[in-house]
Amino acid sequence: MNRGYIQNHFKKFGVDKFISIMVPSRGRKELIEGFLQSIEDNTKIKKRIQVITVTDVNSVEDTTNILNYYNENNLTFDLYNIVRPQSKYITDDYYNFAYQLTNSYFVWGLGNDCKIITKDWDEILYNKTKPFFQNILENKKYYYIHTYDDIHETANEANCFPILSSNYCDKVGENVPCMFKNWSADTFLWENVVKKNLDKFEVIDLIDSIAIEHICIHNNKFGNDDVHAQ
């Protein structure tokens, strides 16, 4: 989607969603189920969010697990699963692929090893950012939002899972830098884009307000596995 299309769509029809959450998922059945349940349990107004999971075409089981859990547990947020050929690149091939389906003020790339643990996190985020909606629509300012990710503890660090305003993502055509083919994309974005363009970005520190649990090898909450190695 190009910037002109999105701006015209916003002005004519209104934004469909407040925030889109994008989650590549390969294996780790229990973790993705825990993530989905955390959205259901901790989101106050589910109609204003959308969740987009991305699975591999050669792993029907991953897609089936997600859809079965969603249906069998009567989850009530909008869920879309898209299937693509398996790639080893998490950034361009999964997050940026999923981004093309979003239509919201903000986008949030998370992992299937995450859980949102703050009750009514969406209401907190909405109240903190609603004064900025018009700036996003008119592309006057970009927003980079820190949340607590269970690893980085200050807003002076790159966040593993920043929330970004969609106008920035639309301008560059991506959610995370596609030239970085692994999780270092979040560091690159923070050090080489945001901090060097603070006249264009507003950095919002919500580390003390919104938290996720990151169940990963880096904080010893999850062991190394084939997915992490890939």
Side-chain angles (χ1 to χ4, degrees), residues 144 156-159 168 172 174 177 179-180 184-201:
Y144 181 106
N156 294 319
E157 303 173 85
N159 192 287
Y168 165 74
V172 299
E174 60 190 25
M179 77 285 291
F180 275 70
S184 65
D186 53 306
T187 302
F188 180 88
L189 180 66
W190 175 243
E191 296 291 342
N192 295 281
V193 180
V194 178
K195 289 174 69 174
K196 292 182 178 180
N197 294 278
L198 290 178
D199 57 324
K200 298 178 181 179
F201 277 89

Side-chain angles (χ1 to χ4, degrees), residues 36-50:
L36 295 172
Q37 193 62 52
S38 78
I39 296 289
E40 181 69 20
D41 293 343
N42 293 316
T43 303
K44 182 175 182 179
I45 302 178
K46 299 179 184 65
K47 67 180 181 180
R48 64 184 171 196
I49 72 166
Q50 66 175 175

Side-chain angles (χ1 to χ4, degrees), residues 154-220:
T154 75
N156 294 319
E157 303 173 85
N159 192 287
C160 279
F161 307 103
I163 299 172
L164 299 175
S165 57
S166 58
N167 60 324
Y168 165 74
C169 299
D170 189 59
K171 179 179 179 180
V172 299
E174 60 190 25
N175 179 57
V176 289
C178 64
M179 77 285 291
F180 275 70
K181 301 301 186 180
N182 56 43
W183 285 104
S184 65
D186 53 306
T187 302
F188 180 88
L189 180 66
W190 175 243
E191 296 291 342
N192 295 281
V193 180
V194 178
K195 289 174 69 174
K196 292 182 178 180
N197 294 278
L198 290 178
D199 57 324
K200 298 178 181 179
F201 277 89
E202 183 165 341
V203 178
I204 302 172
D205 180 4
L206 295 184
I207 282 181
D208 293 332
S209 302
I210 299 175
I212 65 171
E213 181 181 16
H214 192 188
I215 309 166
C216 66
I217 188 174
H218 304 296
N219 55 18
N220 299 314

Side-chain angles (χ1 to χ4, degrees), residues 11 79 121 136 147-148:
K11 291 176 181 177
L79 173 70
W121 66 274
I136 295 173
T147 62
Y148 179 65

